[in-house]
Amino acid sequence: MHPRNRYKDTPPDFEALADVHSLGSSSWIDFKNPEATRLNYILWLQDLVEETLPEDSGNVMGMDIGVGASCIYPLLGCRNDSSWSFIATDINKTSLECAQKNVQRNHLQHRIELIHNDDPNTIFLWDKIPPDIKFSFCMSNPPFYASQEEIMENASNKLLKPSATCMGTMDEMVTHGGEYGFIGRMIEESLQCKTRIMWFTSMIGQKKTLQPIVKKLKQCSISNYVISELNQGKTRRWTVAWSFHTKRVIQSRSLDYYRPKPHQTVELPFGIKHIENHTGSILKDLGIEFDYHYEAYIMFKGPKCW
């Protein structure tokens, strides 16, 4: 759990909850708190923004791709930080109608704008967003699965009963190519809007997706990326973020194993032949027998070798 998550040191009071709902001492609650996991994502984004954006950058604008009926991420983000605002999109009109009602209930119409995506093959709706708006980050919690059959197969392969039940609509659970396909399309589209968004990010629900996503980033010559893990009870999720800016993440939570390895090229003042000749002269002076083979010296013990 993120160290700043409000639920970290304040577990729910089940007795008080039972009293409020008149459950009685013999009742029990199968308590799961999805808000805590979602808040972990928001807090991690906040870490990225605070570490990499200039101090005088002012208000933070975020984009939520696939906002869903609850509009939970923009609501959490705005409640958590008064400087945040959102533009959120979804392909489902019914979900957007519900999301709009939740925005109004929380009196956040001036900070959360909802846009319908009428083209499922497009992720970033630049034709519907004013060109002068730039985003500190975008976020997404894409569908895990590529088909309903994959959902059934995944459920049948579990040895234990799942600790959580997915209650999402088909749009929220299934997309072409699953979560890897969706994030892969995000990466490809991000190449066309490098300067509009500081950090492109997404939630990842399956660990098997991590390595293919890293490979995809490398294939697209993206070297500034970071992967983090979000743990909440028995639930494990991961996040990926990439940027075309030079500012890199150092302090924010990340998995070192997936960090891009630094590459540095040093231009020598002399060519390899010059070094070969001088090194050979030194070895001869020392009386060391050697042979030069495949760009490496093979040395033998000589009378003056110590």
Side-chain angles (χ1 to χ4, degrees), residues 160-175:
L160 300 176
K161 183 180 178 181
S163 58
T165 302
C166 183
M167 302 297 292
T169 65
M170 194 56 61
D171 288 336
E172 294 170 331
M173 293 190 295
V174 175
T175 187

Side-chain angles (χ1 to χ4, degrees), residues 77-92:
C78 290
R79 288 302 186 193
N80 183 68
D81 196 315
S82 60
S83 69
W84 282 26
S85 298
F86 279 86
I87 289 179
T89 68
D90 205 287
I91 61 174
N92 190 307

Side-chain angles (χ1 to χ4, degrees), residues 16 33-34 58 104 115 122-123 143 145 151 165 185 203 208 227 244 261 266 269 303 306:
N33 188 357
Q104 292 170 351
I115 300 177
T122 301
I123 294 175
Y145 306 107
I151 298 176
T165 302
R185 293 191 292 276
M203 183 88 82
K208 66 179 183 179
I227 289 178
F244 298 95
K261 304 301 184 290
V266 177
W306 61 90

Side-chain angles (χ1 to χ4, degrees), residues 283 286-289 299-306:
L283 294 176
L286 293 173
I288 298 176
E289 298 178 6
M299 301 181 188
F300 302 89
K301 184 176 180 180
K304 297 182 180 180
C305 184
W306 61 90

